[in-house]
CSV table of all heavy atoms in Angstrom, one decimal:
chain,number,residue,atom,x,y,z
A,1491,LYS,N,-7.3,12.6,1.1
A,1491,LYS,CA,-6.5,11.9,0.1
A,1491,LYS,C,-6.1,10.5,0.5
A,1491,LYS,O,-6.0,9.6,-0.3
A,1491,LYS,CB,-5.3,12.8,-0.2
A,1491,LYS,CG,-4.3,12.1,-1.2
A,1491,LYS,CD,-3.3,12.9,-1.7
A,1491,LYS,CE,-2.3,12.1,-2.4
A,1491,LYS,NZ,-1.6,12.7,-3.5
A,1492,ALA,N,-5.9,10.3,1.8
A,1492,ALA,CA,-5.4,8.9,2.3
A,1492,ALA,C,-6.5,7.9,2.1
A,1492,ALA,O,-6.2,6.8,1.6
A,1492,ALA,CB,-5.1,9.0,3.7
A,1493,HIS,N,-7.8,8.3,2.1
A,1493,HIS,CA,-8.9,7.4,1.9
A,1493,HIS,C,-8.9,6.9,0.4
A,1493,HIS,O,-9.2,5.8,0.1
A,1493,HIS,CB,-10.2,7.9,2.3
A,1493,HIS,CG,-10.6,9.1,1.5
A,1493,HIS,ND1,-10.2,10.4,1.7
A,1493,HIS,CD2,-11.6,9.2,0.5
A,1493,HIS,CE1,-10.8,11.2,0.9
A,1493,HIS,NE2,-11.6,10.5,0.2
A,1494,ILE,N,-8.5,7.8,-0.5
A,1494,ILE,CA,-8.5,7.6,-1.9
A,1494,ILE,C,-7.3,6.5,-2.2
A,1494,ILE,O,-7.4,5.5,-2.9
A,1494,ILE,CB,-8.2,8.8,-2.8
A,1494,ILE,CG1,-9.5,9.6,-2.6
A,1494,ILE,CG2,-8.0,8.4,-4.3
A,1494,ILE,CD1,-9.4,11.0,-3.2
A,1495,VAL,N,-6.2,6.7,-1.6
A,1495,VAL,CA,-4.9,5.9,-1.7
A,1495,VAL,C,-5.4,4.4,-1.3
A,1495,VAL,O,-5.1,3.4,-1.9
A,1495,VAL,CB,-3.8,6.5,-0.9
A,1495,VAL,CG1,-2.6,5.4,-1.0
A,1495,VAL,CG2,-3.3,7.7,-1.6
A,1496,ARG,N,-6.0,4.4,0.0
A,1496,ARG,CA,-6.4,3.0,0.5
A,1496,ARG,C,-7.4,2.3,-0.5
A,1496,ARG,O,-7.2,1.2,-0.6
A,1496,ARG,CB,-7.0,3.2,1.9
A,1496,ARG,CG,-5.9,3.5,3.0
A,1496,ARG,CD,-6.5,3.4,4.3
A,1496,ARG,NE,-7.5,4.3,4.6
A,1496,ARG,CZ,-7.4,5.5,5.1
A,1496,ARG,NH1,-6.2,6.0,5.3
A,1496,ARG,NH2,-8.4,6.3,5.3
A,1497,ALA,N,-8.4,3.1,-1.0
A,1497,ALA,CA,-9.3,2.5,-1.9
A,1497,ALA,C,-8.6,1.9,-3.1
A,1497,ALA,O,-8.9,0.9,-3.6
A,1497,ALA,CB,-10.4,3.5,-2.3
A,1498,ARG,N,-7.7,2.7,-3.7
A,1498,ARG,CA,-6.9,2.3,-4.9
A,1498,ARG,C,-6.0,1.1,-4.5
A,1498,ARG,O,-5.9,0.2,-5.4
A,1498,ARG,CB,-6.0,3.5,-5.3
A,1498,ARG,CG,-5.3,3.1,-6.6
A,1498,ARG,CD,-4.3,4.3,-7.1
A,1498,ARG,NE,-5.1,5.5,-7.2
A,1498,ARG,CZ,-4.7,6.6,-6.6
A,1498,ARG,NH1,-3.6,6.7,-5.9
A,1498,ARG,NH2,-5.3,7.9,-6.7
A,1499,GLN,N,-5.4,1.0,-3.4
A,1499,GLN,CA,-4.6,-0.1,-3.1
A,1499,GLN,C,-5.5,-1.4,-2.8
A,1499,GLN,O,-5.1,-2.5,-3.2
A,1499,GLN,CB,-3.8,0.2,-1.8
A,1499,GLN,CG,-2.7,1.2,-2.0
A,1499,GLN,CD,-2.0,1.6,-0.8
A,1499,GLN,OE1,-2.4,1.5,0.3
A,1499,GLN,NE2,-0.8,2.2,-1.0
A,1500,GLU,N,-6.7,-1.2,-2.3
A,1500,GLU,CA,-7.6,-2.3,-2.2
A,1500,GLU,C,-8.0,-2.9,-3.6
A,1500,GLU,O,-8.1,-4.0,-3.8
A,1500,GLU,CB,-8.8,-1.9,-1.3
A,1500,GLU,CG,-9.8,-3.1,-1.1
A,1500,GLU,CD,-10.9,-2.8,-0.2
A,1500,GLU,OE1,-11.0,-1.7,0.4
A,1500,GLU,OE2,-11.7,-3.7,0.0
A,1501,PHE,N,-8.2,-1.9,-4.5
A,1501,PHE,CA,-8.6,-2.3,-5.8
A,1501,PHE,C,-7.4,-3.1,-6.4
A,1501,PHE,O,-7.6,-4.1,-7.1
A,1501,PHE,CB,-8.8,-1.0,-6.7
A,1501,PHE,CG,-9.0,-1.4,-8.1
A,1501,PHE,CD1,-10.2,-1.9,-8.7
A,1501,PHE,CD2,-7.9,-1.2,-9.0
A,1501,PHE,CE1,-10.3,-2.1,-10.0
A,1501,PHE,CE2,-8.0,-1.5,-10.4
A,1501,PHE,CZ,-9.2,-2.0,-10.8
A,1502,MET,N,-6.2,-2.6,-6.2
A,1502,MET,CA,-5.0,-3.3,-6.8
A,1502,MET,C,-5.0,-4.9,-6.2
A,1502,MET,O,-4.8,-5.7,-7.0
A,1502,MET,CB,-3.7,-2.6,-6.4
A,1502,MET,CG,-3.5,-1.3,-7.0
A,1502,MET,SD,-2.1,-0.5,-6.3
A,1502,MET,CE,-2.1,1.0,-7.1
A,1503,TYR,N,-5.3,-4.9,-5.0
A,1503,TYR,CA,-5.3,-6.3,-4.3
A,1503,TYR,C,-6.3,-7.1,-4.9
A,1503,TYR,O,-6.0,-8.3,-5.3
A,1503,TYR,CB,-5.4,-6.1,-2.8
A,1503,TYR,CG,-5.6,-7.5,-2.1
A,1503,TYR,CD1,-4.4,-8.2,-1.8
A,1503,TYR,CD2,-6.8,-8.0,-1.8
A,1503,TYR,CE1,-4.5,-9.4,-1.3
A,1503,TYR,CE2,-6.9,-9.2,-1.2
A,1503,TYR,CZ,-5.7,-9.9,-0.9
A,1503,TYR,OH,-5.8,-11.2,-0.3
A,1504,LEU,N,-7.6,-6.6,-4.9
A,1504,LEU,CA,-8.6,-7.4,-5.5
A,1504,LEU,C,-8.5,-7.8,-6.9
A,1504,LEU,O,-8.8,-8.9,-7.4
A,1504,LEU,CB,-10.0,-6.7,-5.2
A,1504,LEU,CG,-10.4,-6.6,-3.8
A,1504,LEU,CD1,-11.6,-5.7,-3.6
A,1504,LEU,CD2,-10.6,-7.9,-3.0
A,1505,ALA,N,-8.0,-6.8,-7.8
A,1505,ALA,CA,-7.9,-7.1,-9.1
A,1505,ALA,C,-6.8,-8.1,-9.5
A,1505,ALA,O,-7.0,-8.9,-10.3
A,1505,ALA,CB,-7.4,-5.8,-9.9
A,1506,HIS,N,-5.8,-8.3,-8.6
A,1506,HIS,CA,-4.8,-9.3,-8.8
A,1506,HIS,C,-5.2,-10.5,-8.2
A,1506,HIS,O,-5.1,-11.6,-8.8
A,1506,HIS,CB,-3.4,-8.8,-8.2
A,1506,HIS,CG,-2.3,-9.7,-8.4
A,1506,HIS,ND1,-1.8,-10.0,-9.7
A,1506,HIS,CD2,-1.6,-10.4,-7.5
A,1506,HIS,CE1,-0.8,-10.9,-9.5
A,1506,HIS,NE2,-0.7,-11.2,-8.3
A,1507,LYS,N,-5.5,-10.6,-6.9
A,1507,LYS,CA,-5.9,-11.7,-6.2
A,1507,LYS,C,-7.1,-12.4,-6.6
A,1507,LYS,O,-7.2,-13.7,-6.8
A,1507,LYS,CB,-5.8,-11.4,-4.6
A,1507,LYS,CG,-5.9,-12.6,-3.7
A,1507,LYS,CD,-4.6,-13.3,-3.7
A,1507,LYS,CE,-4.6,-14.4,-2.6
A,1507,LYS,NZ,-3.4,-15.1,-2.5
A,1508,VAL,N,-8.2,-11.8,-6.7
A,1508,VAL,CA,-9.5,-12.3,-7.0
A,1508,VAL,C,-9.7,-12.5,-8.5
A,1508,VAL,O,-10.2,-13.6,-8.9
A,1508,VAL,CB,-10.7,-11.4,-6.4
A,1508,VAL,CG1,-12.0,-11.9,-6.8
A,1508,VAL,CG2,-10.4,-11.4,-4.8
A,1509,HIS,N,-9.4,-11.5,-9.2
A,1509,HIS,CA,-9.7,-11.5,-10.7
A,1509,HIS,C,-8.5,-12.0,-11.6
A,1509,HIS,O,-8.7,-12.3,-12.7
A,1509,HIS,CB,-10.2,-10.2,-11.1
A,1509,HIS,CG,-11.5,-9.8,-10.5
A,1509,HIS,ND1,-12.7,-10.4,-10.7
A,1509,HIS,CD2,-11.7,-8.9,-9.6
A,1509,HIS,CE1,-13.6,-9.9,-9.9
A,1509,HIS,NE2,-13.1,-8.9,-9.2
A,1510,GLY,N,-7.3,-12.1,-11.0
A,1510,GLY,CA,-6.1,-12.6,-11.7
A,1510,GLY,C,-5.5,-11.7,-12.7
A,1510,GLY,O,-4.7,-12.1,-13.5
A,1511,TYR,N,-5.8,-10.4,-12.7
A,1511,TYR,CA,-5.1,-9.5,-13.6
A,1511,TYR,C,-3.6,-9.4,-13.3
A,1511,TYR,O,-3.3,-9.4,-12.1
A,1511,TYR,CB,-5.8,-8.1,-13.6
A,1511,TYR,CG,-7.2,-8.1,-14.2
A,1511,TYR,CD1,-8.3,-7.9,-13.4
A,1511,TYR,CD2,-7.3,-8.2,-15.6
A,1511,TYR,CE1,-9.5,-8.0,-14.0
A,1511,TYR,CE2,-8.6,-8.3,-16.1
A,1511,TYR,CZ,-9.7,-8.1,-15.3
A,1511,TYR,OH,-11.0,-8.1,-15.9
A,1512,SER,N,-2.8,-9.1,-14.3
A,1512,SER,CA,-1.4,-9.0,-14.0
A,1512,SER,C,-1.1,-7.6,-13.4
A,1512,SER,O,-1.9,-6.7,-13.7
A,1512,SER,CB,-0.6,-9.2,-15.3
A,1512,SER,OG,-0.9,-8.1,-16.2
A,1513,LEU,N,0.0,-7.5,-12.7
A,1513,LEU,CA,0.4,-6.2,-12.2
A,1513,LEU,C,0.6,-5.1,-13.2
A,1513,LEU,O,0.1,-4.0,-13.0
A,1513,LEU,CB,1.6,-6.3,-11.3
A,1513,LEU,CG,1.5,-7.3,-10.1
A,1513,LEU,CD1,2.8,-7.3,-9.3
A,1513,LEU,CD2,0.3,-6.9,-9.2
A,1514,PRO,N,1.2,-5.3,-14.4
A,1514,PRO,CA,1.3,-4.3,-15.4
A,1514,PRO,C,0.0,-4.0,-15.9
A,1514,PRO,O,-0.3,-2.8,-16.3
A,1514,PRO,CB,2.2,-5.1,-16.5
A,1514,PRO,CG,2.9,-6.1,-15.7
A,1514,PRO,CD,2.1,-6.6,-14.7
A,1515,HIS,N,-1.0,-5.0,-16.2
A,1515,HIS,CA,-2.3,-4.6,-16.7
A,1515,HIS,C,-3.1,-3.7,-15.7
A,1515,HIS,O,-3.7,-2.7,-16.1
A,1515,HIS,CB,-3.1,-5.9,-16.8
A,1515,HIS,CG,-4.4,-5.7,-17.5
A,1515,HIS,ND1,-4.6,-5.6,-18.8
A,1515,HIS,CD2,-5.6,-5.7,-16.9
A,1515,HIS,CE1,-5.9,-5.4,-19.1
A,1515,HIS,NE2,-6.5,-5.5,-17.9
A,1516,ILE,N,-3.0,-3.9,-14.4
A,1516,ILE,CA,-3.6,-3.1,-13.4
A,1516,ILE,C,-3.1,-1.7,-13.4
A,1516,ILE,O,-3.7,-0.7,-13.4
A,1516,ILE,CB,-3.4,-3.7,-12.0
A,1516,ILE,CG1,-4.2,-5.1,-11.9
A,1516,ILE,CG2,-4.0,-2.8,-10.9
A,1516,ILE,CD1,-3.8,-5.9,-10.8
A,1517,GLY,N,-1.7,-1.7,-13.5
A,1517,GLY,CA,-1.1,-0.3,-13.6
A,1517,GLY,C,-1.5,0.5,-14.8
A,1517,GLY,O,-1.7,1.7,-14.7
A,1518,GLN,N,-1.6,-0.2,-16.0
A,1518,GLN,CA,-2.1,0.5,-17.2
A,1518,GLN,C,-3.5,1.0,-17.0
A,1518,GLN,O,-3.9,2.1,-17.4
A,1518,GLN,CB,-2.1,-0.4,-18.4
A,1518,GLN,CG,-0.7,-0.6,-18.9
A,1518,GLN,CD,-0.1,0.7,-19.4
A,1518,GLN,OE1,0.9,1.2,-18.9
A,1518,GLN,NE2,-0.7,1.2,-20.5
A,1519,PHE,N,-4.3,0.2,-16.4
A,1519,PHE,CA,-5.7,0.6,-16.1
A,1519,PHE,C,-5.8,1.8,-15.1
A,1519,PHE,O,-6.7,2.7,-15.3
A,1519,PHE,CB,-6.5,-0.6,-15.5
A,1519,PHE,CG,-7.9,-0.3,-15.2
A,1519,PHE,CD1,-8.9,-0.3,-16.2
A,1519,PHE,CD2,-8.3,0.0,-14.0
A,1519,PHE,CE1,-10.2,0.0,-16.0
A,1519,PHE,CE2,-9.7,0.3,-13.7
A,1519,PHE,CZ,-10.7,0.3,-14.7
A,1520,LEU,N,-4.9,1.9,-14.2
A,1520,LEU,CA,-4.9,3.0,-13.3
A,1520,LEU,C,-4.1,4.2,-13.7
A,1520,LEU,O,-3.7,5.0,-12.9
A,1520,LEU,CB,-4.4,2.5,-11.9
A,1520,LEU,CG,-5.3,1.5,-11.1
A,1520,LEU,CD1,-4.6,1.0,-9.9
A,1520,LEU,CD2,-6.6,2.1,-10.8
A,1521,GLY,N,-3.9,4.4,-15.0
A,1521,GLY,CA,-3.3,5.5,-15.6
A,1521,GLY,C,-1.9,5.4,-15.9
A,1521,GLY,O,-1.1,6.4,-15.8
A,1522,GLY,N,-1.3,4.2,-16.1
A,1522,GLY,CA,0.1,4.1,-16.5
A,1522,GLY,C,1.1,3.8,-15.4
A,1522,GLY,O,2.2,4.2,-15.6
A,1523,MET,N,0.6,3.4,-14.3
A,1523,MET,CA,1.5,3.1,-13.1
A,1523,MET,C,2.4,1.9,-13.5
A,1523,MET,O,2.1,1.1,-14.2
A,1523,MET,CB,0.7,2.8,-11.9
A,1523,MET,CG,-0.1,3.8,-11.3
A,1523,MET,SD,-0.9,3.2,-9.9
A,1523,MET,CE,-1.8,4.6,-9.3
A,1524,ASP,N,3.6,1.9,-13.0
A,1524,ASP,CA,4.5,0.8,-13.1
A,1524,ASP,C,4.1,-0.3,-12.3
A,1524,ASP,O,3.4,-0.1,-11.2
A,1524,ASP,CB,5.9,1.3,-12.7
A,1524,ASP,CG,7.0,0.4,-12.9
A,1524,ASP,OD1,7.3,0.2,-14.1
A,1524,ASP,OD2,7.5,-0.2,-11.9
A,1525,HIS,N,4.4,-1.5,-12.7
A,1525,HIS,CA,4.0,-2.7,-12.0
A,1525,HIS,C,4.6,-2.8,-10.5
A,1525,HIS,O,3.9,-3.3,-9.6
A,1525,HIS,CB,4.4,-4.0,-12.7
A,1525,HIS,CG,5.8,-4.4,-12.6
A,1525,HIS,ND1,6.8,-3.8,-13.4
A,1525,HIS,CD2,6.4,-5.3,-11.8
A,1525,HIS,CE1,7.9,-4.2,-13.1
A,1525,HIS,NE2,7.8,-5.2,-12.1
A,1526,THR,N,5.7,-2.1,-10.3
A,1526,THR,CA,6.3,-2.1,-8.9
A,1526,THR,C,5.4,-1.2,-8.0
A,1526,THR,O,5.3,-1.5,-6.9
A,1526,THR,CB,7.7,-1.6,-9.0
A,1526,THR,OG1,7.9,-0.4,-9.5
A,1526,THR,CG2,8.6,-2.7,-9.7
A,1527,THR,N,4.8,-0.2,-8.6
A,1527,THR,CA,3.9,0.7,-7.8
A,1527,THR,C,2.7,0.0,-7.3
A,1527,THR,O,2.2,-0.1,-6.2
A,1527,THR,CB,3.5,2.0,-8.6
A,1527,THR,OG1,4.7,2.6,-9.0
A,1527,THR,CG2,2.7,2.9,-7.8
A,1528,VAL,N,2.2,-0.9,-8.3
A,1528,VAL,CA,1.0,-1.7,-8.1
A,1528,VAL,C,1.4,-2.8,-7.0
A,1528,VAL,O,0.6,-3.0,-6.0
A,1528,VAL,CB,0.5,-2.4,-9.3
A,1528,VAL,CG1,-0.7,-3.4,-9.0
A,1528,VAL,CG2,0.1,-1.3,-10.3
A,1529,LEU,N,2.6,-3.4,-7.1
A,1529,LEU,CA,3.0,-4.3,-6.1
A,1529,LEU,C,3.1,-3.7,-4.7
A,1529,LEU,O,2.7,-4.4,-3.8
A,1529,LEU,CB,4.4,-4.9,-6.5
A,1529,LEU,CG,5.0,-6.0,-5.7
A,1529,LEU,CD1,4.0,-7.2,-5.5
A,1529,LEU,CD2,6.3,-6.4,-6.2
A,1530,HIS,N,3.6,-2.5,-4.6
A,1530,HIS,CA,3.7,-1.8,-3.4
A,1530,HIS,C,2.3,-1.5,-2.8
A,1530,HIS,O,2.1,-1.8,-1.6
A,1530,HIS,CB,4.5,-0.4,-3.5
A,1530,HIS,CG,4.4,0.4,-2.3
A,1530,HIS,ND1,5.2,0.1,-1.2
A,1530,HIS,CD2,3.6,1.5,-2.0
A,1530,HIS,CE1,5.0,1.1,-0.3
A,1530,HIS,NE2,4.0,1.8,-0.7
A,1531,GLY,N,1.4,-1.2,-3.6
A,1531,GLY,CA,0.0,-1.0,-3.1
A,1531,GLY,C,-0.6,-2.3,-2.7
A,1531,GLY,O,-1.3,-2.3,-1.6
A,1532,TRP,N,-0.4,-3.3,-3.4
A,1532,TRP,CA,-0.8,-4.7,-3.0
A,1532,TRP,C,-0.3,-5.1,-1.6
A,1532,TRP,O,-1.0,-5.6,-0.8
A,1532,TRP,CB,-0.4,-5.7,-4.1
A,1532,TRP,CG,-1.0,-7.0,-4.1
A,1532,TRP,CD1,-2.3,-7.3,-4.5
A,1532,TRP,CD2,-0.4,-8.2,-3.6
A,1532,TRP,NE1,-2.4,-8.7,-4.4
A,1532,TRP,CE2,-1.3,-9.2,-3.9
A,1532,TRP,CE3,0.9,-8.5,-3.1
A,1532,TRP,CZ2,-1.0,-10.6,-3.4
A,1532,TRP,CZ3,1.2,-9.8,-2.7
A,1532,TRP,CH2,0.2,-10.8,-2.9
A,1533,ARG,N,1.0,-4.9,-1.5
A,1533,ARG,CA,1.6,-5.2,-0.2
A,1533,ARG,C,1.1,-4.3,1.0
A,1533,ARG,O,1.0,-4.8,2.1
A,1533,ARG,CB,3.1,-5.2,-0.3
A,1533,ARG,CG,3.7,-6.2,-1.1
A,1533,ARG,CD,5.2,-6.1,-1.3
A,1533,ARG,NE,5.8,-7.2,-2.0
A,1533,ARG,CZ,7.0,-7.1,-2.5
A,1533,ARG,NH1,7.7,-6.0,-2.5
A,1533,ARG,NH2,7.5,-8.2,-3.2
A,1534,MET,N,0.9,-3.1,0.7
A,1534,MET,CA,0.4,-2.1,1.8
A,1534,MET,C,-1.0,-2.6,2.2
A,1534,MET,O,-1.4,-2.6,3.4
A,1534,MET,CB,0.4,-0.7,1.3
A,1534,MET,CG,1.7,-0.1,1.2
A,1534,MET,SD,2.6,-0.1,2.7
A,1534,MET,CE,1.6,0.8,3.7
A,1535,HIS,N,-1.8,-3.0,1.3
A,1535,HIS,CA,-3.2,-3.5,1.6
A,1535,HIS,C,-3.1,-4.8,2.4
A,1535,HIS,O,-3.9,-4.9,3.5
A,1535,HIS,CB,-4.0,-3.8,0.3
A,1535,HIS,CG,-5.3,-4.4,0.7
A,1535,HIS,ND1,-6.4,-3.7,1.1
A,1535,HIS,CD2,-5.7,-5.7,0.6
A,1535,HIS,CE1,-7.3,-4.4,1.3
A,1535,HIS,NE2,-7.0,-5.8,1.0
A,1536,LEU,N,-2.2,-5.6,2.2
A,1536,LEU,CA,-2.0,-6.8,2.9
A,1536,LEU,C,-1.5,-6.4,4.4
A,1536,LEU,O,-1.9,-7.0,5.4
A,1536,LEU,CB,-1.0,-7.8,2.3
A,1536,LEU,CG,-1.5,-8.6,1.2
A,1536,LEU,CD1,-0.3,-9.5,0.6
A,1536,LEU,CD2,-2.6,-9.6,1.6
A,1537,ARG,N,-0.6,-5.6,4.4
A,1537,ARG,CA,0.0,-5.1,5.7
A,1537,ARG,C,-1.0,-4.5,6.7
A,1537,ARG,O,-1.1,-4.7,7.9
A,1537,ARG,CB,1.1,-4.1,5.5
A,1537,ARG,CG,2.0,-3.9,6.7
A,1537,ARG,CD,3.1,-3.0,6.4
A,1537,ARG,NE,4.1,-3.7,5.5
A,1537,ARG,CZ,4.8,-3.1,4.6
A,1537,ARG,NH1,4.8,-1.8,4.5
A,1537,ARG,NH2,5.6,-3.8,3.8
A,1538,ARG,N,-2.0,-3.7,6.1
A,1538,ARG,CA,-3.1,-3.2,6.8
A,1538,ARG,C,-4.0,-4.2,7.4
A,1538,ARG,O,-4.7,-3.9,8.3
A,1538,ARG,CB,-3.9,-2.2,6.0
A,1538,ARG,CG,-3.2,-0.8,6.0
A,1538,ARG,CD,-4.2,0.3,5.4
A,1538,ARG,NE,-4.6,0.0,4.1
A,1538,ARG,CZ,-4.0,0.3,3.0
A,1538,ARG,NH1,-2.8,0.9,3.0
A,1538,ARG,NH2,-4.5,-0.1,1.8
A,1539,GLN,N,-4.1,-5.4,6.8
A,1539,GLN,CA,-4.9,-6.4,7.2
A,1539,GLN,C,-4.3,-7.2,8.4
A,1539,GLN,O,-5.0,-8.0,9.1
A,1539,GLN,CB,-5.3,-7.4,6.1
A,1539,GLN,CG,-5.8,-6.8,4.9
A,1539,GLN,CD,-6.9,-5.8,5.1
A,1539,GLN,OE1,-7.9,-6.2,5.8
A,1539,GLN,NE2,-6.9,-4.6,4.6
A,1540,GLU,N,-3.1,-7.0,8.7
A,1540,GLU,CA,-2.4,-7.8,9.8
A,1540,GLU,C,-2.9,-7.4,11.1
A,1540,GLU,O,-3.1,-6.1,11.3
A,1540,GLU,CB,-0.9,-7.6,9.7
A,1540,GLU,CG,-0.3,-8.2,8.5
A,1540,GLU,CD,1.2,-8.0,8.4
A,1540,GLU,OE1,1.8,-7.2,9.3
A,1540,GLU,OE2,1.9,-8.5,7.4
A,1541,PRO,N,-3.1,-8.3,12.1
A,1541,PRO,CA,-3.5,-7.9,13.4
A,1541,PRO,C,-2.3,-6.9,14.1
A,1541,PRO,O,-1.2,-7.2,13.9
A,1541,PRO,CB,-3.6,-9.2,14.2
A,1541,PRO,CG,-3.2,-10.2,13.3
A,1541,PRO,CD,-2.9,-9.7,12.0
A,1542,GLY,N,-2.7,-5.9,14.8
A,1542,GLY,CA,-1.8,-5.1,15.4
A,1542,GLY,C,-1.1,-4.1,14.5
A,1542,GLY,O,-0.1,-3.5,14.9
A,1543,TYR,N,-1.6,-3.9,13.3
A,1543,TYR,CA,-1.1,-3.0,12.3
A,1543,TYR,C,-1.0,-1.5,12.9
A,1543,TYR,O,-2.0,-1.1,13.4
A,1543,TYR,CB,-1.8,-3.0,11.0
A,1543,TYR,CG,-1.4,-1.9,10.1
A,1543,TYR,CD1,-0.2,-1.9,9.4
A,1543,TYR,CD2,-2.2,-0.8,9.9
A,1543,TYR,CE1,0.1,-0.9,8.5
A,1543,TYR,CE2,-1.9,0.2,9.0
A,1543,TYR,CZ,-0.8,0.1,8.4
A,1543,TYR,OH,-0.3,1.2,7.5
A,1544,VAL,N,0.1,-1.0,12.8
A,1544,VAL,CA,0.2,0.5,13.2
A,1544,VAL,C,0.8,1.3,12.0
A,1544,VAL,O,1.8,0.9,11.5
A,1544,VAL,CB,1.3,0.6,14.4
A,1544,VAL,CG1,1.5,2.1,14.7
A,1544,VAL,CG2,0.8,-0.2,15.6
A,1545,PRO,N,-0.1,2.3,11.6
A,1545,PRO,CA,0.3,2.9,10.3
A,1545,PRO,C,1.7,3.6,10.3
A,1545,PRO,O,2.4,3.7,9.3
A,1545,PRO,CB,-0.7,3.9,10.1
A,1545,PRO,CG,-1.5,4.0,11.3
A,1545,PRO,CD,-1.2,2.8,12.2
A,1546,TYR,N,2.1,4.1,11.5
A,1546,TYR,CA,3.4,4.8,11.5
A,1546,TYR,C,4.1,4.3,12.8
A,1546,TYR,O,3.5,4.2,13.8
A,1546,TYR,CB,3.2,6.3,11.6
A,1546,TYR,CG,2.5,6.9,10.4
A,1546,TYR,CD1,1.2,7.1,10.4
A,1546,TYR,CD2,3.2,7.0,9.1
A,1546,TYR,CE1,0.5,7.7,9.3
A,1546,TYR,CE2,2.5,7.4,8.0
A,1546,TYR,CZ,1.2,7.8,8.1
A,1546,TYR,OH,0.5,8.3,7.1
A,1547,LYS,N,5.4,4.2,12.7
A,1547,LYS,CA,6.1,3.9,13.8
A,1547,LYS,C,6.3,5.1,14.7
A,1547,LYS,O,6.7,6.1,14.2
A,1547,LYS,CB,7.5,3.3,13.5
A,1547,LYS,CG,7.5,2.0,12.7
A,1547,LYS,CD,8.9,1.5,12.4
A,1547,LYS,CE,8.9,0.3,11.7
A,1547,LYS,NZ,10.1,-0.2,11.2
A,1548,PRO,N,6.1,5.0,16.0
A,1548,PRO,CA,6.2,6.2,16.9
A,1548,PRO,C,7.8,6.6,16.9
A,1548,PRO,O,8.6,5.8,16.9
A,1548,PRO,CB,5.8,5.8,18.2
A,1548,PRO,CG,5.5,4.4,18.2
A,1548,PRO,CD,5.6,3.9,16.7
A,1549,VAL,N,8.0,7.9,16.8
A,1549,VAL,CA,9.3,8.4,16.7
A,1549,VAL,C,9.7,8.8,18.2
A,1549,VAL,O,9.0,9.5,18.9
A,1549,VAL,CB,9.4,9.7,15.9
A,1549,VAL,CG1,10.8,10.3,15.9
A,1549,VAL,CG2,9.0,9.4,14.4
A,1550,PRO,N,10.8,8.2,18.7
A,1550,PRO,CA,11.2,8.5,20.1
A,1550,PRO,C,11.6,9.9,20.2
A,1550,PRO,O,12.2,10.5,19.3
A,1550,PRO,CB,12.3,7.5,20.4
A,1550,PRO,CG,12.8,7.2,19.0
A,1550,PRO,CD,11.7,7.3,18.1
A,1551,PRO,N,11.3,10.6,21.3
A,1551,PRO,CA,11.8,12.0,21.5
A,1551,PRO,C,13.2,12.1,21.4
A,1551,PRO,O,14.0,11.2,21.9
A,1551,PRO,CB,11.2,12.4,22.8
A,1551,PRO,CG,11.0,11.1,23.5
A,1551,PRO,CD,10.7,10.1,22.5
A,1552,ARG,N,13.8,13.3,20.9
A,1552,ARG,CA,15.2,13.5,20.8
A,1552,ARG,C,15.7,13.9,22.2
A,1552,ARG,O,15.1,14.7,22.9
A,1552,ARG,CB,15.4,14.6,19.8
A,1552,ARG,CG,15.1,14.2,18.4
A,1552,ARG,CD,15.4,15.2,17.4
A,1552,ARG,NE,16.7,15.1,17.1
A,1552,ARG,CZ,17.3,15.8,16.2
A,1552,ARG,NH1,16.7,16.6,15.4
A,1552,ARG,NH2,18.6,15.6,15.9
A,1553,ARG,N,16.8,13.5,22.6
A,1553,ARG,CA,17.5,13.9,23.8
A,1553,ARG,C,18.3,15.1,23.6
A,1553,ARG,O,18.9,15.2,22.5
A,1553,ARG,CB,18.3,12.8,24.4
A,1553,ARG,CG,17.5,11.6,24.7
A,1553,ARG,CD,18.4,10.5,25.4
A,1553,ARG,NE,19.6,10.3,24.7
A,1553,ARG,CZ,20.5,9.4,25.1
A,1553,ARG,NH1,20.3,8.6,26.1
A,1553,ARG,NH2,21.5,9.2,24.3
A,1554,LYS,N,18.2,16.0,24.5
A,1554,LYS,CA,19.1,17.2,24.4
A,1554,LYS,C,20.5,16.9,24.7
A,1554,LYS,O,20.7,16.2,25.8
A,1554,LYS,CB,18.5,18.3,25.3
A,1554,LYS,CG,17.2,18.9,24.8
A,1554,LYS,CD,16.7,20.0,25.7
A,1554,LYS,CE,15.4,20.6,25.2
A,1554,LYS,NZ,15.0,21.7,25.9
A,1555,VAL,N,21.3,17.4,24.0
A,1555,VAL,CA,22.8,17.2,24.3
A,1555,VAL,C,23.4,18.4,25.0
A,1555,VAL,O,23.2,19.5,24.5
A,1555,VAL,CB,23.6,16.9,23.0
A,1555,VAL,CG1,25.1,16.8,23.2
A,1555,VAL,CG2,23.0,15.7,22.3
A,1556,ALA,N,24.1,18.2,26.1
A,1556,ALA,CA,24.6,19.4,26.8
A,1556,ALA,C,25.8,20.0,26.0
A,1556,ALA,O,26.6,19.3,25.5
A,1556,ALA,CB,25.1,18.8,28.1
A,1557,ALA,N,25.7,21.3,25.9
A,1557,ALA,CA,26.7,22.0,25.1
A,1557,ALA,C,27.8,22.5,25.9
A,1557,ALA,O,27.8,22.7,27.1
A,1557,ALA,CB,26.0,23.1,24.4
């Protein structure tokens, strides 16, 4: 499923940046998504292109509290 999400987000980016479609128009084409959902996908695609991108922040281990 993640590969489908990434492909959809890349489509959002290319449709807006290269072809100039509006965010609401892209959302309608993708099944009625809100323009803010498209904007989020567009930003996620850009974030993945940054050098040193880490998909998830590592969670530090929890310390045990003495009872």
